[in-house]
Amino acid sequence: AAQSTQAVNLALIQTSLPVMAMILSIPFLKIWPKKNQMMGAMIALPGLAFIFSQGDLENLRKLQFGQGDLLMMTATFCWALYTVLLKRLRLPISGVTLLTTLVIMGVVMLTPFYLWEFSLKGGFELSSGN
């Protein structure tokens, strides 16, 4: 996603995670948002629209999403779904064990893609700046 959209778009899309998780909690956890959570969402969503529109609501009609934006929205939705399902399914392992398992699985699954991209584009210079 970061290769095909601006970093500010990624950050703005990612800020919708709590609202997505709150919405997904209704069907999956049968938990309705509390009053404070609803107030927070009612403040956050117009604020997000204001930022996306650059202060001009007319810009919302012209808003176009690129491939990176859509990919980030999908990733944020998946993260929200994962968060809600993690609470629903309550795994019988500790948080440290779960995190370690997920990191190991992530490294194993991403290594072939990293090697493929490395073969096409090369790596980056190892420096304090990088």
Side-chain angles (χ1 to χ4, degrees), residues 71-125:
L71 186 57
M72 187 62 183
M73 278 191 246
T74 302
T76 303
F77 174 80
C78 289
W79 188 2
L81 183 63
Y82 164 77
T83 301
V84 169
L85 291 178
L86 190 60
K87 184 168 184 168
R88 179 178 182 180
L89 301 177
R90 298 202 197 271
L91 300 175
I93 59 176
S94 72
V96 172
T97 303
L98 176 62
L99 179 61
T100 303
T101 303
L102 291 174
V103 168
I104 291 169
M105 289 174 57
V107 168
V108 169
M109 290 171 29
L110 291 175
T111 297
F113 296 103
Y114 169 76
L115 294 174
W116 172 66
E117 183 178 39
F118 185 82
S119 72
L120 294 176
K121 298 184 177 190
F124 57 89
E125 179 185 337

Side-chain angles (χ1 to χ4, degrees), residues 15 18 22 28-29 46 48 56 62 65 69 77 83 89 98 100 102 106 126:
T15 61
M22 184 177 69
F28 288 103
L29 302 176
L48 203 53
D56 183 3
K62 301 174 194 171
F65 293 99
D69 299 321
F77 174 80
T83 301
L89 301 177
L98 176 62
T100 303
L102 291 174
L126 292 177

